[in-house]
């Protein structure tokens, strides 16, 4: 685990593109982290490939979250509203890889990674809670952070509850009395 | 006249009891709720219910500019605020592409390791208190006060310092910092020996922790567990060594790895990590150079106050930074550090404006708690308290 | 006359033996623990024990941010405490929502339970919390026993 592999990050991208061809919608390397954009139908296959390929060995699921690109976001390689972003980590390569899956607004469903990656369980529940993205085959897709009876998805860009106005009151007589009391 | 005991012929029905533990409970380390299904004293299933401290940090980050966001980071993992500051600062600095001066980098290492010490002291104090060793709690907090004195000396605040910011440090290290840290270095080894004297070979402690709460390496890796919890199960992975940041590759320290994966092993790993932290602090302190404490890039760092009286440019920079904030070029990065709890990651999506477009925090306790049902199943309900303490969850970062 | 003396004695006794409930929510809870620990030692002020059960405590120190999911629990715990009972809102989040004016956090615990003393700070120093406790002690000793019925 402590020996860095000789495979460069560019070679990681090349290897994946060789195996998946057109199914990789976009790919690149940013800050030494390879990233791939795939359709949701290919998510499980790509994750399994990254995990099982003997030169890659991205065996650890680090993080899974959603992103809402509704408002003017960075230039995107797709036009879906949401993305599910998965970060995997490889011990021998000592790198993280990012898989980005576009999720359309009218059908926010993505295959769940939980059956093969138990670590994804709560992360997917959080993505469901915060964005409303549903994960098929998830053992328990319920809200995890917000109260169970809430129906909103707070991290969506169009969820902007009003800031609660605070009422401030200042009573000069009370203030004078307090000053005289010395407290 | 002796009475012979008679074998009672009572058939006990198999009854499952559903017990609720928390969210207000003395030993759940915060507002954690566990729904337990018990068969007698044995835990059949344990379902953590979280969200009682959900604060909407990630949404709030999107509403604040990058400079304001630093104060939010302190309050997530509230036992190691400087670690959160550091992870955030590193993520923003990666996208900004600014050069951080050496003094700030070394100071960050010292502060991060002091934070690790302070956090482990709280862990040890509360875990010991949960298992009945009240004195250890008082001793640990006594030492922790000394470390908090140093944080207060640097930033004015004991806990939520917001001292490590994108660009460097909030202000220069104060005079007397080095002496104060050296005092801690002189004091701590004997104190850690004291804690070990009380616990490590204590029969009651060993009975309550050895063999309890086993987490296998395979389960730890598959559930995303990191940090001391993973290392106690045999996972040889520490971000300070394997993904070095802030110059950690220059320091000589051992990554403590256990094998048994039980509560006792997690205790030993953290105690030994405290000693390694002292080693790192000593090396960093010897290496601490003079010089600037913040980047020279005036588009990011506030100008020194003295310049505001003489330089128009400095005044304009100050104004723009205070009102609008600096803009971070568009891009995405995932940065992770080794917080006292494990891999604390920040996934930052920037869109070129002064506010993060999306800032997701990968909290190590979130993943560790996911493994709790696996660890607790089949154990006794009385051991749950020891197990939860040994995982060291902080609900502020679990719920964000 | 003896009744008045007795009730004043009772008020003084209550003020000097406040038993808080272990109710730490977030960061302020750590400062509350520091207040109870060696250097600041809140036991000097009568809070020798932090009782875990609301039924055995008379002071609830709400230390930390109260989320909407936690709010019914706080109310439930407050209702379970026997009279006379008092509440200290420790920290900015418990007092007014603090730095979190957003969808998730209750803007002050006084929206659901009556608060006697507000201790500002983020988090308040242990000395500040002790100052709050002393203020509460004065308040309890000064008012009549019938005020305890709330």
């Amino acid at each position: 685990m402590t020996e860095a592999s000789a495979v460069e990050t560019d070679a990681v991208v090349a290897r994946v593109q060789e195996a998946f061809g057109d199914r990789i919608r976009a790919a690149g390397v940013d800050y030494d982290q390879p990233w791939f954009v795939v359709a949701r139908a290919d998510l499980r296959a790509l994750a399994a490939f990254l995990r099982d390929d003997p030169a890659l060995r991205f065996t650890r699921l680090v993080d899974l979250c959603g992103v809402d690109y509704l408002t003017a976001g960075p230039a995107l390689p797709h036009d879906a509203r949401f993305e599910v972003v998965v970060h995997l980590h490889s011990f021998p390569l000592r790198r993280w890889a990012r898989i980005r899956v576009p999720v359309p607004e009218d059908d926010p469903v993505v295959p769940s990674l939980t059956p093969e990656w138990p670590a994804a369980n709560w992360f997917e529940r959080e993505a469901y809670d915060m964005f409303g993205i549903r994960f098929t085959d998830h053992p328990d897709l319920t809200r995890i952070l917000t109260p169970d009876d809430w129906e909103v998805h707070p991290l969506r860009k169009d969820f902007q509850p009003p800031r609660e106005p605070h009422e401030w009151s200042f009573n000069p007589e009370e203030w004078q009395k307090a000053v005289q009391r010395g407290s | 006249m002796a009475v012979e005991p008679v074998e009672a012929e009572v058939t006990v029905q198999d009854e499952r009891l559903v017990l609720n533990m928390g969210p207000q409970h003395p030993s759940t380390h915060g507002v954690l709720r566990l729904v337990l299904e018990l068969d007698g004293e044995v835990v059949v299933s344990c379902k953590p219910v979280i969200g009682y401290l959900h604060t909407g940090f990630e949404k709030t980050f999107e509403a604040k500019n990058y400079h304001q966001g630093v104060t939010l980071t302190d309050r997530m993992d509230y036992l190691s605020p400087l670690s959160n500051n550091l992870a955030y600062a590193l993520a923003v600095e990666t996208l900004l592409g600014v050069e951080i001066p050496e003094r700030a980098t070394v100071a960050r290492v010292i502060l991060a390791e002091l934070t690790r010490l302070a956090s482990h002291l709280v862990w040890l104090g509360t875990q010991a208190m949960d298992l009945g060793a009240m004195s250890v709690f008082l001793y640990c907090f006594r030492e922790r006060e000394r470390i908090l004195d140093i944080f207060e000396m640097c930033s004015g605040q004991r806990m939520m310092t917001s001292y490590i910011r994108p660009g460097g440090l909030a202000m220069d290290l104060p005079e007397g910092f080095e002496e104060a840290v050296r005092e801690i270095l002189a004091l701590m080894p004997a104190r850690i020996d004291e804690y070990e004297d009380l616990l490590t070979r204590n029969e009651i402690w060993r009975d309550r922790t050895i063999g309890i709460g086993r987490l296998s390496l395979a389960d730890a890796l598959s559930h995303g567990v990191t940090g001391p919890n993973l290392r106690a199960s045999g996972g040889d992975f520490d971000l300070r060594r394997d993904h070095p940041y802030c110059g950690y590759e220059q320091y000589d320290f051992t990554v403590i790895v256990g094998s048994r994966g039980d509560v006792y092993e997690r205790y030993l790993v953290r105690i030994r990590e405290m000693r390694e932290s002292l080693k790192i602090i000593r090396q960093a302190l010897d290496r601490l150079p003079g010089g600037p404490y913040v980047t020279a890039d005036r588009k990011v760092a506030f100008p020194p106050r003295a310049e505001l009286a003489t330089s128009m440019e400095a005044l304009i920079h100050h104004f723009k930074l205070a009102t609008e904030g600096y803009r971070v070029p568009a891009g995405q990065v995932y940065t992770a550090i080794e917080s006292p709890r494990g891999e604390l990651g920040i996934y930052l999506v920037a869109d070129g404006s002064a506010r993060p477009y999306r800032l997701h925090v990968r909290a190590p306790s979130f993943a560790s708690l996911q493994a709790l049902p696996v660890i607790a199943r089949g154990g006794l309900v009385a051991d749950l308290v020891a197990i939860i303490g040994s995982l060291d969850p902080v609900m502020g970062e679990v719920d964000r | 006359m003896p009744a008045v003396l007795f009730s004043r004695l009772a008020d003084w006794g209550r003020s000097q033996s406040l038993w808080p409930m272990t109710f730490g929510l977030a960061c302020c809870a750590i400062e509350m623990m520091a207040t109870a620990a060696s250097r600041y030692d809140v036991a000097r002020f009568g809070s020798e024990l932090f009782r875990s059960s609301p039924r055995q405590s008379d002071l609830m120190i709400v230390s930390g941010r109260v989320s909407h999911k936690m709010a019914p629990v706080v109310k439930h715990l407050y209702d379970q405490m026997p009279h006379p009972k008092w509440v200290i809102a420790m920290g900015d989040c418990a007092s007014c929502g603090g730095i979190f004016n957003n969808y998730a956090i209750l803007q002050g615990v006084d929206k659901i339970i009556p608060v006697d003393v507000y201790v500002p700070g983020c988090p308040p120093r242990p000395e500040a919390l002790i100052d709050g406790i002393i203020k509460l002690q004065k308040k309890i000793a000064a008012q009549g026993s019938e005020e305890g019925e709330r």
Side-chain angles (χ1 to χ4, degrees), chain B residues 24 26 31 50 52 54-56 60 75 126 138 149 152 157-158 160, chain C residues 22 25 27 31 33 38-40 52 65 67 69 100 102-104 122 125:
Chain B
Q24 188 261 349
V31 284
I50 62 175
Y52 288 95
H54 179 61
T55 314
T60 313
R75 289 149 176 94
T126 49
L138 294 170
D149 282 343
E152 190 178 2
Q157 247 274 24
R158 284 152 55 95
M160 310 304 166
Chain C
T22 57
L25 290 166
C27 349
E31 287 293 54
M33 279 157 55
S38 355
R39 188 187 270 192
Y40 296 104
S52 326
R65 44 198 189 255
S67 70
K69 195 165 177 178
F100 305 110
N102 60 24
Y103 68 88
C122 192
R125 288 186 62 105

mmCIF file of all heavy atoms in Angstrom, chain B residues 24 26 31 50 52 54-56 60 75 126 138 149 152 157-158 160, chain C residues 22 25 27 31 33 38-40 52 65 67 69 100 102-104 122 125:
data_model
loop_
_atom_site.group_PDB
_atom_site.id
_atom_site.type_symbol
_atom_site.label_atom_id
_atom_site.label_comp_id
_atom_site.label_asym_id
_atom_site.label_seq_id
_atom_site.Cartn_x
_atom_site.Cartn_y
_atom_site.Cartn_z
ATOM 1 N N GLN B 24 -30.965 12.225 23.412
ATOM 2 C CA GLN B 24 -30.360 12.762 24.619
ATOM 3 C C GLN B 24 -29.913 11.587 25.470
ATOM 4 O O GLN B 24 -30.727 10.814 25.969
ATOM 5 C CB GLN B 24 -31.380 13.625 25.385
ATOM 6 C CG GLN B 24 -30.790 14.368 26.552
ATOM 7 C CD GLN B 24 -31.033 13.674 27.879
ATOM 8 O OE1 GLN B 24 -31.817 12.741 27.962
ATOM 9 N NE2 GLN B 24 -30.369 14.101 28.910
ATOM 10 N N PRO B 26 -26.339 10.287 27.961
ATOM 11 C CA PRO B 26 -25.032 10.753 28.433
ATOM 12 C C PRO B 26 -23.857 10.225 27.635
ATOM 13 O O PRO B 26 -22.803 10.827 27.633
ATOM 14 C CB PRO B 26 -24.979 10.239 29.876
ATOM 15 C CG PRO B 26 -26.029 9.208 29.987
ATOM 16 C CD PRO B 26 -27.070 9.559 29.004
ATOM 17 N N VAL B 31 -25.814 14.277 19.647
ATOM 18 C CA VAL B 31 -27.207 13.917 19.441
ATOM 19 C C VAL B 31 -27.312 12.788 18.432
ATOM 20 O O VAL B 31 -27.693 12.971 17.290
ATOM 21 C CB VAL B 31 -28.030 15.134 18.994
ATOM 22 C CG1 VAL B 31 -28.293 16.010 20.167
ATOM 23 C CG2 VAL B 31 -27.305 15.924 17.933
ATOM 24 N N ILE B 50 -29.730 9.718 12.427
ATOM 25 C CA ILE B 50 -28.943 10.943 12.587
ATOM 26 C C ILE B 50 -29.736 12.116 12.020
ATOM 27 O O ILE B 50 -30.864 11.949 11.585
ATOM 28 C CB ILE B 50 -27.572 10.814 11.887
ATOM 29 C CG1 ILE B 50 -27.770 10.596 10.388
ATOM 30 C CG2 ILE B 50 -26.750 9.713 12.497
ATOM 31 C CD1 ILE B 50 -26.465 10.584 9.627
ATOM 32 N N TYR B 52 -30.080 15.017 13.841
ATOM 33 C CA TYR B 52 -30.575 15.891 14.893
ATOM 34 C C TYR B 52 -29.740 17.144 15.038
ATOM 35 O O TYR B 52 -30.105 18.049 15.775
ATOM 36 C CB TYR B 52 -30.642 15.121 16.224
ATOM 37 C CG TYR B 52 -31.750 14.115 16.226
ATOM 38 C CD1 TYR B 52 -31.516 12.787 15.899
ATOM 39 C CD2 TYR B 52 -33.058 14.500 16.517
ATOM 40 C CE1 TYR B 52 -32.553 11.875 15.860
ATOM 41 C CE2 TYR B 52 -34.094 13.595 16.486
ATOM 42 C CZ TYR B 52 -33.831 12.282 16.158
ATOM 43 O OH TYR B 52 -34.857 11.376 16.115
ATOM 44 N N HIS B 54 -28.494 18.587 12.082
ATOM 45 C CA HIS B 54 -28.341 19.073 10.709
ATOM 46 C C HIS B 54 -28.469 20.585 10.684
ATOM 47 O O HIS B 54 -29.473 21.130 11.127
ATOM 48 C CB HIS B 54 -29.396 18.434 9.824
ATOM 49 C CG HIS B 54 -29.322 18.898 8.407
ATOM 50 N ND1 HIS B 54 -28.214 18.711 7.622
ATOM 51 C CD2 HIS B 54 -30.201 19.555 7.635
ATOM 52 C CE1 HIS B 54 -28.415 19.225 6.432
ATOM 53 N NE2 HIS B 54 -29.627 19.743 6.402
ATOM 54 N N THR B 55 -27.445 21.232 10.173
ATOM 55 C CA THR B 55 -27.359 22.681 10.255
ATOM 56 C C THR B 55 -27.424 23.338 8.890
ATOM 57 O O THR B 55 -27.466 24.545 8.790
ATOM 58 C CB THR B 55 -26.028 23.061 10.933
ATOM 59 O OG1 THR B 55 -25.853 22.255 12.069
ATOM 60 C CG2 THR B 55 -25.991 24.508 11.345
ATOM 61 N N GLY B 56 -27.371 22.539 7.848
ATOM 62 C CA GLY B 56 -27.392 23.146 6.517
ATOM 63 C C GLY B 56 -26.107 23.857 6.177
ATOM 64 O O GLY B 56 -26.137 24.914 5.550
ATOM 65 N N THR B 60 -25.319 26.802 3.363
ATOM 66 C CA THR B 60 -24.846 28.091 3.850
ATOM 67 C C THR B 60 -23.543 28.476 3.179
ATOM 68 O O THR B 60 -23.296 29.659 2.917
ATOM 69 C CB THR B 60 -24.667 28.032 5.377
ATOM 70 O OG1 THR B 60 -25.817 27.438 5.945
ATOM 71 C CG2 THR B 60 -24.508 29.415 5.965
ATOM 72 N N ARG B 75 -17.202 24.990 12.858
ATOM 73 C CA ARG B 75 -18.302 24.471 13.649
ATOM 74 C C ARG B 75 -18.831 23.121 13.184
ATOM 75 O O ARG B 75 -19.775 22.599 13.750
ATOM 76 C CB ARG B 75 -19.422 25.512 13.677
ATOM 77 C CG ARG B 75 -19.005 26.686 14.535
ATOM 78 C CD ARG B 75 -19.560 28.018 14.123
ATOM 79 N NE ARG B 75 -19.157 29.031 15.087
ATOM 80 C CZ ARG B 75 -18.082 29.797 14.968
ATOM 81 N NH1 ARG B 75 -17.315 29.695 13.908
ATOM 82 N NH2 ARG B 75 -17.781 30.683 15.888
ATOM 83 N N THR B 126 -13.755 11.453 27.430
ATOM 84 C CA THR B 126 -15.160 11.045 27.394
ATOM 85 C C THR B 126 -15.303 9.537 27.336
ATOM 86 O O THR B 126 -16.194 8.969 27.961
ATOM 87 C CB THR B 126 -15.887 11.676 26.204
ATOM 88 O OG1 THR B 126 -15.122 11.489 25.022
ATOM 89 C CG2 THR B 126 -16.101 13.158 26.434
ATOM 90 N N LEU B 138 -11.013 14.328 33.981
ATOM 91 C CA LEU B 138 -10.520 15.576 34.560
ATOM 92 C C LEU B 138 -9.065 15.817 34.170
ATOM 93 O O LEU B 138 -8.669 16.942 33.886
ATOM 94 C CB LEU B 138 -10.682 15.527 36.076
ATOM 95 C CG LEU B 138 -12.138 15.502 36.546
ATOM 96 C CD1 LEU B 138 -12.225 15.216 38.025
ATOM 97 C CD2 LEU B 138 -12.831 16.809 36.235
ATOM 98 N N ASP B 149 -5.175 27.279 25.605
ATOM 99 C CA ASP B 149 -4.496 28.541 25.897
ATOM 100 C C ASP B 149 -3.645 28.973 24.720
ATOM 101 O O ASP B 149 -3.543 30.159 24.405
ATOM 102 C CB ASP B 149 -3.591 28.385 27.124
ATOM 103 C CG ASP B 149 -4.373 28.424 28.410
ATOM 104 O OD1 ASP B 149 -5.532 28.886 28.389
ATOM 105 O OD2 ASP B 149 -3.827 27.998 29.445
ATOM 106 N N GLU B 152 -5.836 30.306 22.049
ATOM 107 C CA GLU B 152 -6.334 31.632 22.416
ATOM 108 C C GLU B 152 -5.253 32.675 22.239
ATOM 109 O O GLU B 152 -5.503 33.801 21.820
ATOM 110 C CB GLU B 152 -6.796 31.607 23.869
ATOM 111 C CG GLU B 152 -7.537 32.853 24.256
ATOM 112 C CD GLU B 152 -8.037 32.793 25.672
ATOM 113 O OE1 GLU B 152 -7.765 31.793 26.372
ATOM 114 O OE2 GLU B 152 -8.694 33.755 26.087
ATOM 115 N N GLN B 157 -9.450 33.108 20.324
ATOM 116 C CA GLN B 157 -10.577 32.224 20.591
ATOM 117 C C GLN B 157 -10.037 30.883 21.042
ATOM 118 O O GLN B 157 -9.039 30.398 20.528
ATOM 119 C CB GLN B 157 -11.359 32.013 19.285
ATOM 120 C CG GLN B 157 -12.745 32.593 19.262
ATOM 121 C CD GLN B 157 -13.764 31.642 19.850
ATOM 122 O OE1 GLN B 157 -13.424 30.771 20.654
ATOM 123 N NE2 GLN B 157 -15.011 31.804 19.477
ATOM 124 N N ARG B 158 -10.716 30.249 22.012
ATOM 125 C CA ARG B 158 -10.242 28.948 22.466
ATOM 126 C C ARG B 158 -10.528 27.874 21.436
ATOM 127 O O ARG B 158 -9.684 27.037 21.124
ATOM 128 C CB ARG B 158 -10.922 28.566 23.784
ATOM 129 C CG ARG B 158 -10.398 29.270 24.979
ATOM 130 C CD ARG B 158 -11.468 29.383 26.026
ATOM 131 N NE ARG B 158 -12.036 28.095 26.384
ATOM 132 C CZ ARG B 158 -11.604 27.380 27.430
ATOM 133 N NH1 ARG B 158 -10.630 27.798 28.179
ATOM 134 N NH2 ARG B 158 -12.187 26.226 27.710
ATOM 135 N N MET B 160 -13.266 28.014 18.350
ATOM 136 C CA MET B 160 -13.571 28.306 16.942
ATOM 137 C C MET B 160 -12.651 29.390 16.438
ATOM 138 O O MET B 160 -13.028 30.533 16.284
ATOM 139 C CB MET B 160 -15.030 28.753 16.824
ATOM 140 C CG MET B 160 -15.990 27.827 17.502
ATOM 141 S SD MET B 160 -15.780 26.185 16.868
ATOM 142 C CE MET B 160 -16.660 25.214 18.016
ATOM 143 N N THR C 22 -27.573 16.613 31.449
ATOM 144 C CA THR C 22 -26.519 16.476 30.433
ATOM 145 C C THR C 22 -27.183 16.651 29.084
ATOM 146 O O THR C 22 -27.767 15.733 28.529
ATOM 147 C CB THR C 22 -25.863 15.088 30.475
ATOM 148 O OG1 THR C 22 -26.857 14.097 30.291
ATOM 149 C CG2 THR C 22 -25.124 14.869 31.748
ATOM 150 N N LEU C 25 -25.556 19.685 22.866
ATOM 151 C CA LEU C 25 -25.963 19.476 21.483
ATOM 152 C C LEU C 25 -24.765 19.569 20.552
ATOM 153 O O LEU C 25 -24.515 18.683 19.766
ATOM 154 C CB LEU C 25 -26.999 20.518 21.084
ATOM 155 C CG LEU C 25 -28.356 20.354 21.755
ATOM 156 C CD1 LEU C 25 -29.197 21.596 21.564
ATOM 157 C CD2 LEU C 25 -29.075 19.157 21.192
ATOM 158 N N CYS C 27 -21.077 22.416 19.672
ATOM 159 C CA CYS C 27 -19.808 22.936 20.170
ATOM 160 C C CYS C 27 -19.889 23.512 21.579
ATOM 161 O O CYS C 27 -18.950 23.375 22.371
ATOM 162 C CB CYS C 27 -19.270 24.008 19.234
ATOM 163 S SG CYS C 27 -20.133 24.104 17.670
ATOM 164 N N GLU C 31 -17.594 23.318 25.573
ATOM 165 C CA GLU C 31 -17.234 24.329 26.566
ATOM 166 C C GLU C 31 -17.972 24.082 27.872
ATOM 167 O O GLU C 31 -17.463 24.387 28.943
ATOM 168 C CB GLU C 31 -17.537 25.744 26.041
ATOM 169 C CG GLU C 31 -16.578 26.220 24.972
ATOM 170 C CD GLU C 31 -15.147 26.450 25.493
ATOM 171 O OE1 GLU C 31 -14.574 25.530 26.090
ATOM 172 O OE2 GLU C 31 -14.624 27.542 25.307
ATOM 173 N N MET C 33 -18.561 21.089 28.992
ATOM 174 C CA MET C 33 -17.744 20.053 29.615
ATOM 175 C C MET C 33 -16.496 20.659 30.228
ATOM 176 O O MET C 33 -16.064 20.264 31.312
ATOM 177 C CB MET C 33 -17.349 19.004 28.560
ATOM 178 C CG MET C 33 -18.449 18.007 28.303
ATOM 179 S SD MET C 33 -18.363 17.181 26.703
ATOM 180 C CE MET C 33 -16.748 16.504 26.695
ATOM 181 N N SER C 38 -11.635 20.320 35.249
ATOM 182 C CA SER C 38 -10.765 20.719 36.360
ATOM 183 C C SER C 38 -10.551 22.211 36.512
ATOM 184 O O SER C 38 -10.565 22.724 37.621
ATOM 185 C CB SER C 38 -9.402 20.049 36.222
ATOM 186 O OG SER C 38 -9.390 19.153 35.152
ATOM 187 N N ARG C 39 -10.335 22.915 35.381
ATOM 188 C CA ARG C 39 -9.896 24.304 35.572
ATOM 189 C C ARG C 39 -11.035 25.200 36.023
ATOM 190 O O ARG C 39 -10.847 26.083 36.851
ATOM 191 C CB ARG C 39 -9.309 24.844 34.266
ATOM 192 C CG ARG C 39 -8.668 26.202 34.443
ATOM 193 C CD ARG C 39 -8.255 26.792 33.137
ATOM 194 N NE ARG C 39 -6.874 26.415 32.789
ATOM 195 C CZ ARG C 39 -6.179 26.975 31.813
ATOM 196 N NH1 ARG C 39 -6.729 27.897 31.063
ATOM 197 N NH2 ARG C 39 -4.965 26.590 31.547
ATOM 198 N N TYR C 40 -12.216 25.011 35.463
ATOM 199 C CA TYR C 40 -13.307 25.947 35.750
ATOM 200 C C TYR C 40 -14.293 25.393 36.762
ATOM 201 O O TYR C 40 -14.987 26.159 37.423
ATOM 202 C CB TYR C 40 -14.006 26.373 34.463
ATOM 203 C CG TYR C 40 -13.076 27.140 33.557
ATOM 204 C CD1 TYR C 40 -12.512 26.547 32.432
ATOM 205 C CD2 TYR C 40 -12.705 28.437 33.857
ATOM 206 C CE1 TYR C 40 -11.633 27.242 31.625
ATOM 207 C CE2 TYR C 40 -11.830 29.134 33.062
ATOM 208 C CZ TYR C 40 -11.301 28.531 31.947
ATOM 209 O OH TYR C 40 -10.418 29.227 31.159
ATOM 210 N N SER C 52 -28.344 12.712 33.987
ATOM 211 C CA SER C 52 -28.735 12.389 32.620
ATOM 212 C C SER C 52 -30.231 12.403 32.449
ATOM 213 O O SER C 52 -30.740 12.679 31.381
ATOM 214 C CB SER C 52 -28.251 11.003 32.236
ATOM 215 O OG SER C 52 -27.024 10.746 32.850
ATOM 216 N N ARG C 65 -26.719 24.345 18.760
ATOM 217 C CA ARG C 65 -27.768 24.699 17.822
ATOM 218 C C ARG C 65 -28.883 23.659 17.875
ATOM 219 O O ARG C 65 -28.643 22.472 17.966
ATOM 220 C CB ARG C 65 -27.182 24.801 16.412
ATOM 221 C CG ARG C 65 -26.242 23.680 16.045
ATOM 222 C CD ARG C 65 -25.379 24.072 14.853
ATOM 223 N NE ARG C 65 -24.620 22.952 14.364
ATOM 224 C CZ ARG C 65 -23.311 22.794 14.571
ATOM 225 N NH1 ARG C 65 -22.622 23.680 15.246
ATOM 226 N NH2 ARG C 65 -22.679 21.732 14.087
ATOM 227 N N SER C 67 -31.751 22.009 15.860
ATOM 228 C CA SER C 67 -32.281 21.848 14.515
ATOM 229 C C SER C 67 -33.775 21.562 14.601
ATOM 230 O O SER C 67 -34.309 21.248 15.655
ATOM 231 C CB SER C 67 -31.581 20.704 13.799
ATOM 232 O OG SER C 67 -31.965 19.484 14.383
ATOM 233 N N LYS C 69 -35.267 19.081 13.568
ATOM 234 C CA LYS C 69 -35.518 17.677 13.930
ATOM 235 C C LYS C 69 -35.393 17.494 15.431
ATOM 236 O O LYS C 69 -36.023 16.623 16.024
ATOM 237 C CB LYS C 69 -34.509 16.794 13.197
ATOM 238 C CG LYS C 69 -34.834 15.324 13.179
ATOM 239 C CD LYS C 69 -33.985 14.622 12.118
ATOM 240 C CE LYS C 69 -34.243 13.128 12.124
ATOM 241 N NZ LYS C 69 -33.486 12.421 11.099
ATOM 242 N N PHE C 100 -26.399 30.761 12.094
ATOM 243 C CA PHE C 100 -27.140 29.927 11.150
ATOM 244 C C PHE C 100 -28.562 30.429 11.002
ATOM 245 O O PHE C 100 -29.481 29.932 11.645
ATOM 246 C CB PHE C 100 -27.161 28.476 11.623
ATOM 247 C CG PHE C 100 -25.792 27.918 11.868
ATOM 248 C CD1 PHE C 100 -25.365 27.637 13.148
ATOM 249 C CD2 PHE C 100 -24.937 27.686 10.814
ATOM 250 C CE1 PHE C 100 -24.102 27.127 13.373
ATOM 251 C CE2 PHE C 100 -23.668 27.178 11.028
ATOM 252 C CZ PHE C 100 -23.250 26.894 12.314
ATOM 253 N N ASN C 102 -30.945 29.892 8.711
ATOM 254 C CA ASN C 102 -31.239 29.127 7.497
ATOM 255 C C ASN C 102 -32.365 28.145 7.754
ATOM 256 O O ASN C 102 -33.026 28.197 8.792
ATOM 257 C CB ASN C 102 -29.972 28.428 6.990
ATOM 258 C CG ASN C 102 -29.394 27.471 8.025
ATOM 259 O OD1 ASN C 102 -30.105 26.991 8.902
ATOM 260 N ND2 ASN C 102 -28.122 27.193 7.920
ATOM 261 N N TYR C 103 -32.585 27.282 6.791
ATOM 262 C CA TYR C 103 -33.756 26.412 6.822
ATOM 263 C C TYR C 103 -33.707 25.387 7.933
ATOM 264 O O TYR C 103 -34.719 24.817 8.308
ATOM 265 C CB TYR C 103 -33.884 25.682 5.481
ATOM 266 C CG TYR C 103 -32.786 24.662 5.223
ATOM 267 C CD1 TYR C 103 -32.910 23.343 5.660
ATOM 268 C CD2 TYR C 103 -31.623 25.007 4.551
ATOM 269 C CE1 TYR C 103 -31.915 22.421 5.445
ATOM 270 C CE2 TYR C 103 -30.619 24.087 4.331
ATOM 271 C CZ TYR C 103 -30.766 22.798 4.776
ATOM 272 O OH TYR C 103 -29.763 21.891 4.565
ATOM 273 N N ALA C 104 -32.518 25.112 8.448
ATOM 274 C CA ALA C 104 -32.370 23.925 9.298
ATOM 275 C C ALA C 104 -32.401 24.222 10.785
ATOM 276 O O ALA C 104 -32.656 23.324 11.569
ATOM 277 C CB ALA C 104 -31.056 23.220 8.955
ATOM 278 N N CYS C 122 -19.790 32.359 21.016
ATOM 279 C CA CYS C 122 -19.817 31.295 20.025
ATOM 280 C C CYS C 122 -18.495 30.567 20.010
ATOM 281 O O CYS C 122 -17.669 30.811 19.121
ATOM 282 C CB CYS C 122 -20.138 31.847 18.643
ATOM 283 S SG CYS C 122 -20.527 30.574 17.423
ATOM 284 N N ARG C 125 -17.148 31.469 26.684
ATOM 285 C CA ARG C 125 -16.081 30.929 27.494
ATOM 286 C C ARG C 125 -16.686 30.284 28.733
ATOM 287 O O ARG C 125 -17.760 30.679 29.170
ATOM 288 C CB ARG C 125 -15.154 32.044 27.946
ATOM 289 C CG ARG C 125 -14.283 32.625 26.887
ATOM 290 C CD ARG C 125 -13.364 33.588 27.567
ATOM 291 N NE ARG C 125 -12.557 32.835 28.531
ATOM 292 C CZ ARG C 125 -11.278 32.532 28.332
ATOM 293 N NH1 ARG C 125 -10.683 32.909 27.237
ATOM 294 N NH2 ARG C 125 -10.614 31.852 29.234
#
